[in-house]
Amino acid sequence: MADTDVELHVEFRGVSKSYDGQTLVVRDLDLDVRKGELFTLLGPSGSGKTTSLMMLAGFEAPTAGDILIDGSSVRETPPRKRGIGVVFQNYALFPHMTVGRNLSFPLEIRGVSEERQAEKVRRALEVVRLEGLQNRRPDELSGGQQQRVAIARALVSEPRLVLMDEPLGALDRRLREEMQLEIRRIQHDLGVTVVYVTHDQQEAMAMSSRVAVFHRGRIQQVADPETLYEEPEREFVARFIGDNNILRGQVTAVSGGTCVAETPGGPVKAVPVRPFRPGEPTALAIRPERVVLSSRRGLANEFEARIEEVLFIGDHLRMRLDLCGNRNFIVKIPNTVGHGAVLKGDRVRLGWAQMDCRALPDERAAV
């Protein structure tokens, strides 16, 4: 997975982890993180993303394999000597200490002089835009300010690698969005490498240079956010990243970079993500916003269906139909004429382009 044209900061090589000697929570992990990128480990609870981060931090030891930082193995290196800053979801601030003391304390432990401590604390607070708050205690700060202090503490020793484990999980939506922009700004301004863990797809898409999607201890795909959204390689990725309609079918024809699959509602033309043979099962993925109503453009895939439900979301309408064997086929249309544009019970003609439909390996058939 290494790229000879980029400088690698972190490397996982065949890393596995088991807590009981039998069940692997991380399986044969090979992963490269480039210097200066914000790299996100994304997946549902129990997928192995946080365990991978804890092994990188040194708080957990791999059962097998090795982890390298700047080309050197850290398997025998204790956490305090890895040169890493860590930010946790619960902030882990000392409540009885002031903001300034929370930041200077880890420097004091490392033997940094008081003069240097003061300078480093000042710079760290400046980076997170909390100048002048060094004498306040954590309980005198808002949730967003406390999170900024936690980030400042991770940065105060000027590490080149920062790990963040669900750092925005305790914040409300508006504050989360503000902090996403702040973390991205800080990472860009300082040029540090950030390895970020989250289960929130939108958060990962908004912040990351690249994303590794985890499922059951394995990486399903590594790519930039746009590629993950537009070109998922696996059914799990298509389902987990945003909304996707999945149609089950069997490949009947393959020609160049296209294929045709027979579904309960008729044939569907799609772009295969890998070579298929006629007779193979496939999962066809179509984004709800790529489906067009009242199609008159001669699209490759056109069908008629009855609207089973209409939800008014505000800026768009969300319709549920029974189509090609999927009883929960979703269509999103912009709210340009109001809620009465379509109604439950209406029969509509709809369609989508072949390039917007991806033929993926049918993971349900493979079980």
Side-chain angles (χ1 to χ4, degrees):
M1 192 179 293
D3 188 333
T4 56
D5 295 330
V6 298
E7 191 172 4
L8 299 181
H9 201 155
V10 173
E11 301 168 66
F12 286 81
R13 294 289 172 258
V15 173
S16 295
K17 176 64 178 179
S18 174
Y19 291 103
D20 60 8
Q22 297 180 336
T23 304
L24 290 175
V25 294
V26 175
R27 304 166 180 262
D28 301 319
L29 175 61
D30 288 308
L31 183 65
D32 295 331
V33 179
R34 303 163 185 165
K35 283 196 173 181
E37 72 173 333
L38 199 162
F39 190 97
T40 296
L41 312 183
L42 172 67
S45 297
S47 61
K49 59 189 187 301
T50 294
T51 298
S52 299
L53 194 80
M54 293 300 100
M55 288 190 287
L56 176 55
F59 302 142
E60 296 287 351
T63 304
D66 201 3
I67 299 173
L68 289 74
I69 297 178
D70 290 327
S72 298
S73 172
V74 293
R75 192 177 178 99
E76 304 299 328
T77 306
R80 68 182 184 278
K81 293 186 177 181
R82 295 193 180 192
I84 294 174
V86 184
V87 182
F88 297 104
Q89 178 178 343
N90 63 0
Y91 313 146
L93 301 175
F94 296 115
H96 62 287
M97 292 184 180
T98 64
V99 168
R101 187 63 179 140
N102 263 281
L103 270 60
S104 65
F105 183 67
L107 298 175
E108 180 181 311
I109 292 176
R110 290 182 173 89
V112 177
S113 68
E114 289 188 9
E115 183 178 351
R116 288 286 293 153
Q117 286 179 37
E119 177 60 21
K120 286 176 176 289
V121 168
R122 184 192 65 78
R123 284 208 301 261
L125 290 176
E126 189 176 82
V127 166
V128 298
R129 298 176 177 174
L130 289 179
E131 304 98 319
L133 299 183
Q134 61 266 30
N135 293 324
R136 294 191 185 181
R137 289 194 305 272
D139 62 2
E140 298 176 309
L141 303 176
S142 68
Q145 289 173 327
Q146 289 183 47
Q147 188 55 277
R148 288 169 189 253
V149 174
I151 293 171
R153 187 177 57 187
L155 298 173
V156 73
S157 59
E158 299 177 353
R160 303 309 301 165
L161 176 61
V162 176
L163 312 183
M164 297 189 176
D165 184 19
E166 302 274 8
L168 308 182
L171 305 180
D172 62 43
R173 180 178 177 180
R174 180 189 60 79
L175 200 49
R176 282 174 72 100
E177 292 175 352
E178 290 180 4
M179 286 304 301
Q180 288 169 16
L181 294 176
E182 277 297 289
I183 291 173
R184 190 67 173 135
R185 176 191 65 79
I186 292 167
Q187 185 270 335
H188 181 269
D189 289 350
L190 297 180
V192 297
T193 305
V194 173
V195 180
Y196 192 98
V197 164
T198 184
H199 66 274
D200 188 308
Q201 304 97 311
Q202 291 185 338
E203 188 166 286
M205 299 287 280
M207 297 178 62
S208 312
S209 308
R210 290 188 301 147
V211 180
V213 181
F214 278 71
H215 181 49
R216 295 177 179 173
R218 295 185 184 275
I219 289 181
Q220 304 297 299
Q221 188 173 350
V222 179
D224 62 87
E226 183 176 355
T227 299
L228 284 178
Y229 190 85
E230 299 291 353
E231 302 175 20
E233 296 175 353
R234 296 174 181 264
E235 184 180 338
F236 176 81
V237 177
R239 285 180 172 276
F240 193 71
I241 304 293
D243 290 335
N244 239 320
N245 294 302
I246 302 294
L247 305 178
R248 307 285 172 182
Q250 189 175 61
V251 176
T252 58
V254 180
S255 177
T258 66
C259 71
V260 179
E262 189 63 37
T263 75
V268 173
K269 296 178 181 178
V271 176
V273 301
R274 65 158 177 78
F276 280 91
R277 295 187 304 272
E280 279 192 84
T282 183
L284 306 163
I286 311 101
R287 296 282 181 192
E289 69 272 18
R290 301 295 168 80
V291 181
V292 181
L293 288 186
S294 301
S295 175
R296 297 178 181 176
R297 299 188 296 173
L299 294 172
N301 302 290
E302 294 188 3
F303 299 91
E304 286 189 2
R306 178 181 181 273
I307 297 176
E308 304 294 336
E309 187 178 16
V310 179
L311 294 178
F312 179 76
I313 306 300
D315 61 347
H316 71 276
L317 304 179
R318 184 180 178 95
M319 295 172 291
R320 180 176 63 83
L321 306 95
D322 184 348
L323 186 71
C324 294
N326 185 342
R327 296 176 60 86
N328 294 298
F329 190 95
I330 302 299
V331 179
K332 294 180 182 178
I333 62 171
N335 179 20
T336 57
V337 294
H339 188 34
V342 289
L343 300 172
K344 179 179 177 179
D346 287 352
R347 291 198 64 82
V348 294
R349 187 163 183 80
L350 53 85
W352 59 87
Q354 180 171 327
M355 65 177 294
D356 290 327
C357 184
R358 295 183 68 78
L360 310 166
D362 188 340
E363 294 177 1
R364 189 179 67 177
V367 174

Short mmCIF file of all heavy atoms in Angstrom, two decimals, residues 24-45:
data_model
loop_
_atom_site.label_atom_id
_atom_site.label_comp_id
_atom_site.label_asym_id
_atom_site.label_seq_id
_atom_site.Cartn_x
_atom_site.Cartn_y
_atom_site.Cartn_z
N LEU A 24 -10.17 -11.99 17.01
CA LEU A 24 -9.37 -10.87 16.51
C LEU A 24 -10.26 -9.65 16.32
O LEU A 24 -11.24 -9.69 15.57
CB LEU A 24 -8.70 -11.22 15.18
CG LEU A 24 -7.58 -12.26 15.24
CD1 LEU A 24 -7.10 -12.60 13.83
CD2 LEU A 24 -6.41 -11.76 16.08
N VAL A 25 -9.94 -8.57 17.02
CA VAL A 25 -10.70 -7.33 16.85
C VAL A 25 -10.08 -6.47 15.74
O VAL A 25 -10.74 -5.59 15.19
CB VAL A 25 -10.79 -6.53 18.16
CG1 VAL A 25 -11.60 -7.28 19.19
CG2 VAL A 25 -9.41 -6.21 18.71
N VAL A 26 -8.81 -6.72 15.42
CA VAL A 26 -8.14 -6.13 14.26
C VAL A 26 -7.44 -7.28 13.54
O VAL A 26 -6.75 -8.08 14.18
CB VAL A 26 -7.11 -5.05 14.66
CG1 VAL A 26 -6.35 -4.55 13.43
CG2 VAL A 26 -7.81 -3.88 15.36
N ARG A 27 -7.61 -7.34 12.20
CA ARG A 27 -7.12 -8.48 11.43
C ARG A 27 -6.18 -8.04 10.31
O ARG A 27 -6.59 -7.31 9.41
CB ARG A 27 -8.29 -9.26 10.80
CG ARG A 27 -9.34 -9.74 11.78
CD ARG A 27 -10.59 -10.17 11.02
NE ARG A 27 -11.62 -10.65 11.92
CZ ARG A 27 -11.84 -11.93 12.18
NH1 ARG A 27 -11.10 -12.85 11.57
NH2 ARG A 27 -12.78 -12.30 13.01
N ASP A 28 -4.93 -8.46 10.39
CA ASP A 28 -3.98 -8.29 9.29
C ASP A 28 -4.03 -6.88 8.71
O ASP A 28 -4.17 -6.69 7.50
CB ASP A 28 -4.25 -9.32 8.18
CG ASP A 28 -4.16 -10.75 8.69
OD1 ASP A 28 -3.24 -11.02 9.47
OD2 ASP A 28 -5.01 -11.57 8.30
N LEU A 29 -3.87 -5.89 9.57
CA LEU A 29 -4.00 -4.50 9.15
C LEU A 29 -2.72 -4.01 8.48
O LEU A 29 -1.64 -4.01 9.08
CB LEU A 29 -4.31 -3.62 10.37
CG LEU A 29 -4.37 -2.11 10.13
CD1 LEU A 29 -5.46 -1.78 9.13
CD2 LEU A 29 -4.62 -1.38 11.45
N ASP A 30 -2.84 -3.60 7.22
CA ASP A 30 -1.77 -2.93 6.48
C ASP A 30 -2.29 -1.55 6.12
O ASP A 30 -3.31 -1.41 5.45
CB ASP A 30 -1.41 -3.69 5.20
CG ASP A 30 -0.66 -4.98 5.49
OD1 ASP A 30 0.34 -4.93 6.21
OD2 ASP A 30 -1.09 -6.04 4.99
N LEU A 31 -1.58 -0.52 6.58
CA LEU A 31 -2.08 0.84 6.40
C LEU A 31 -0.93 1.83 6.44
O LEU A 31 -0.01 1.70 7.25
CB LEU A 31 -3.07 1.16 7.53
CG LEU A 31 -3.77 2.52 7.51
CD1 LEU A 31 -4.68 2.62 6.30
CD2 LEU A 31 -4.56 2.73 8.79
N ASP A 32 -0.97 2.80 5.53
CA ASP A 32 0.03 3.87 5.49
C ASP A 32 -0.65 5.22 5.72
O ASP A 32 -1.69 5.51 5.13
CB ASP A 32 0.72 3.92 4.12
CG ASP A 32 1.54 2.67 3.85
OD1 ASP A 32 2.03 2.05 4.80
OD2 ASP A 32 1.70 2.31 2.66
N VAL A 33 -0.04 6.04 6.57
CA VAL A 33 -0.50 7.41 6.79
C VAL A 33 0.63 8.34 6.36
O VAL A 33 1.77 8.19 6.81
CB VAL A 33 -0.84 7.66 8.27
CG1 VAL A 33 -1.29 9.11 8.46
CG2 VAL A 33 -1.93 6.69 8.73
N ARG A 34 0.32 9.28 5.49
CA ARG A 34 1.32 10.19 4.95
C ARG A 34 1.58 11.35 5.89
O ARG A 34 0.69 11.76 6.65
CB ARG A 34 0.86 10.71 3.58
CG ARG A 34 0.57 9.63 2.57
CD ARG A 34 -0.26 10.15 1.41
NE ARG A 34 -0.64 9.09 0.50
CZ ARG A 34 -1.58 9.19 -0.43
NH1 ARG A 34 -2.26 10.33 -0.54
NH2 ARG A 34 -1.85 8.19 -1.23
N LYS A 35 2.75 11.91 5.80
CA LYS A 35 3.09 13.06 6.62
C LYS A 35 2.22 14.26 6.25
O LYS A 35 2.00 14.55 5.07
CB LYS A 35 4.57 13.42 6.46
CG LYS A 35 5.49 12.49 7.23
CD LYS A 35 6.88 13.07 7.37
CE LYS A 35 7.72 12.18 8.31
NZ LYS A 35 9.08 12.70 8.51
N GLY A 36 1.70 14.95 7.27
CA GLY A 36 0.96 16.17 7.05
C GLY A 36 -0.48 16.00 6.62
O GLY A 36 -1.13 16.98 6.25
N GLU A 37 -1.03 14.78 6.68
CA GLU A 37 -2.43 14.61 6.30
C GLU A 37 -3.31 14.38 7.52
O GLU A 37 -2.82 13.98 8.59
CB GLU A 37 -2.60 13.47 5.29
CG GLU A 37 -2.44 12.07 5.83
CD GLU A 37 -2.79 11.01 4.78
OE1 GLU A 37 -3.60 11.28 3.88
OE2 GLU A 37 -2.25 9.89 4.88
N LEU A 38 -4.60 14.66 7.35
CA LEU A 38 -5.58 14.33 8.37
C LEU A 38 -6.25 13.05 7.91
O LEU A 38 -7.07 13.05 7.00
CB LEU A 38 -6.59 15.45 8.55
CG LEU A 38 -7.38 15.43 9.86
CD1 LEU A 38 -8.01 16.80 10.14
CD2 LEU A 38 -8.46 14.36 9.89
N PHE A 39 -5.85 11.96 8.54
CA PHE A 39 -6.27 10.62 8.12
C PHE A 39 -7.27 10.10 9.13
O PHE A 39 -7.01 10.07 10.33
CB PHE A 39 -5.06 9.69 8.06
CG PHE A 39 -5.33 8.36 7.43
CD1 PHE A 39 -5.05 8.14 6.09
CD2 PHE A 39 -5.87 7.32 8.17
CE1 PHE A 39 -5.31 6.92 5.51
CE2 PHE A 39 -6.14 6.09 7.60
CZ PHE A 39 -5.85 5.88 6.26
N THR A 40 -8.44 9.66 8.65
CA THR A 40 -9.51 9.23 9.54
C THR A 40 -9.74 7.73 9.48
O THR A 40 -9.79 7.15 8.39
CB THR A 40 -10.82 9.96 9.20
OG1 THR A 40 -10.66 11.37 9.45
CG2 THR A 40 -11.98 9.45 10.05
N LEU A 41 -9.87 7.13 10.66
CA LEU A 41 -10.31 5.74 10.79
C LEU A 41 -11.80 5.78 11.09
O LEU A 41 -12.22 6.27 12.14
CB LEU A 41 -9.55 5.03 11.92
CG LEU A 41 -8.03 5.19 11.96
CD1 LEU A 41 -7.44 4.38 13.10
CD2 LEU A 41 -7.40 4.80 10.63
N LEU A 42 -12.61 5.30 10.15
CA LEU A 42 -14.06 5.42 10.22
C LEU A 42 -14.70 4.04 10.26
O LEU A 42 -14.30 3.14 9.52
CB LEU A 42 -14.57 6.18 9.00
CG LEU A 42 -16.08 6.26 8.78
CD1 LEU A 42 -16.75 7.10 9.86
CD2 LEU A 42 -16.40 6.82 7.39
N GLY A 43 -15.69 3.89 11.12
CA GLY A 43 -16.41 2.62 11.16
C GLY A 43 -17.38 2.59 12.31
O GLY A 43 -17.34 3.43 13.21
N PRO A 44 -18.27 1.60 12.33
CA PRO A 44 -19.23 1.47 13.43
C PRO A 44 -18.53 1.00 14.70
O PRO A 44 -17.35 0.63 14.69
CB PRO A 44 -20.21 0.41 12.91
CG PRO A 44 -19.41 -0.40 11.95
CD PRO A 44 -18.45 0.55 11.31
N SER A 45 -19.26 1.01 15.81
CA SER A 45 -18.71 0.54 17.08
C SER A 45 -18.26 -0.92 16.93
O SER A 45 -18.96 -1.73 16.32
CB SER A 45 -19.76 0.64 18.18
OG SER A 45 -20.12 1.99 18.40
#
